[in-house]
């Protein structure tokens, strides 16, 4: 097993290469290696790595010397001060890489930077497998499962009632439950909805699964949903990013990258603008965008007035997510 294959075994599905660094090239071309994607700049690389971590494995960037591994929680919220640079640990061998990642997981570290002193096609010791869950990770998983079970009871039932009461209303501006259901109903079986946190993400998270769709809500904004839609295309899937502001800055750069790659993805901007007249019009416009391929941006008029009802139903966690 090579280092690249071992990275896949611990959940690294994409390796984002940095603009000024060499590509791993032939070192990561085997069927068991991470998919490579070249980022146009460092900010985009970080967003792509964070989006990759939404699939419940580490996101990774590579600049030719330093391997950076991120959890989904490592991205900063928009407007937040930049985090202090993390230290770079020298890693002399594949065995040391395995040990470093196991130690980081035990500490619950959200970001680690490792300077590798060996090529990515180096063999990993036969004894190295995917790191077993550490006590800290097991405790975290248990707490998460307990919280999820609690929400799936009373809170989830109350949320379902709020969502269900809105689905029959199809006039524009759309209510957010109807808009989210439209997306889920229009996507093909291999589709996924990616949303940034906020009111739109809250509604997507509580509506799409009830319709039968798959959803990821990023822990912070800044284009993570757009990056996730691009990575979904790289996996042969169909991704729709739901955001509340038109893509600008780094998010716009990611759309330019998607166009350069001839990727197919859709970004829906839920706000006050858009010429859609009904839910049926919304579904028709989205289906046309998905069928046409390429990069498409659709403005969807959405009235978020009912968000307080959903927050009241789900509780404080939802209030934090909707901010």
């Amino acid at each position: 097993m090579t280092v690249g294959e071992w990275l896949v075994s611990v959940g690294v599905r994409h390796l984002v290469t940095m603009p000024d660094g060499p590509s791993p090239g032939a070192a990561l071309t085997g069927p068991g290696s991470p998919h490579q994607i070249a980022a146009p700049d460092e900010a985009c690389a970080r967003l792509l790595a964070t989006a990759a971590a939404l699939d419940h494995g580490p996101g990774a960037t590579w600049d030719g010397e330093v391997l950076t591994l991120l959890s989904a929680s490592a991205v900063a919220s928009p407007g937040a001060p930049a985090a202090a640079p993390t230290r770079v640990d020298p890693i002399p061998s594949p065995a040391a890489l395995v040990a470093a990642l196991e130690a980081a997981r035990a500490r619950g570290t959200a970001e680690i930077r490792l300077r590798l002193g060996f090529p990515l096609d180096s063999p990993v010791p036969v004894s190295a497998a995917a790191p077993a869950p550490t006590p800290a990770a097991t405790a975290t998983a248990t707490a998460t499962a307990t919280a999820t079970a609690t929400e799936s009871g009373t809170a989830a039932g109350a949320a379902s009632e709020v969502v269900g009461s809105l689905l029959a209303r199809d006039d524009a501006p759309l209510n957010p439950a109807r808009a989210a259901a439209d997306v889920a109903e229009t996507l093909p079986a291999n589709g996924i909805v990616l949303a940034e946190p906020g009111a739109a993400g809250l509604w997507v998270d509580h509506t799409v699964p009830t319709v039968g769709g798959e959803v990821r809500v990023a822990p912070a904004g800044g284009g993570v949903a757009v990056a996730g839609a691009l990575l979904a295309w790289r996996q042969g899937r169909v991704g729709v990013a739901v955001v509340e502001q038109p893509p600008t800055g780094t998010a716009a750069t990611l759309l330019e990258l998607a166009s350069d790659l001839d990727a197919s993805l859709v970004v829906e901007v839920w706000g006050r603008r858009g010429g859609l007249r009904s839910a049926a019009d919304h579904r028709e416009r989205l289906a046309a965008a998905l069928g046409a391929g390429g990069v498409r941006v659709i403005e969807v008029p959405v009235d978020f007035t009912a968000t307080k009802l959903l927050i009241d139903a789900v509780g404080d966690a939802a209030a934090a997510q909707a901010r």
Side-chain angles (χ1 to χ4, degrees), residues 125-152:
V126 176
S127 59
T134 62
T138 302
T140 300
T142 301
T144 300
T146 301
T148 300
T150 300
E151 181 179 344
S152 66

Side-chain angles (χ1 to χ4, degrees), residues 74-95:
V75 67
S77 300
T86 57
R87 70 182 188 186
V88 180
D89 295 325
I91 304 297
S93 67

Side-chain angles (χ1 to χ4, degrees), residues 151-153 155-168 175-186 193 201-217 270 310 314:
E151 181 179 344
S152 66
S160 295
E161 288 183 9
V162 173
V163 169
S165 68
L166 297 171
L167 292 181
N175 68 75
R178 182 64 262 169
D182 289 343
V183 176
E185 292 169 2
T186 307
V193 188
L202 179 67
W203 284 100
V204 165
D205 196 21
H206 287 278
T207 303
V208 171
T210 66
V211 182
E214 185 176 353
V215 62
R216 300 279 190 276
V217 177
W270 290 9
L310 185 57
V314 179

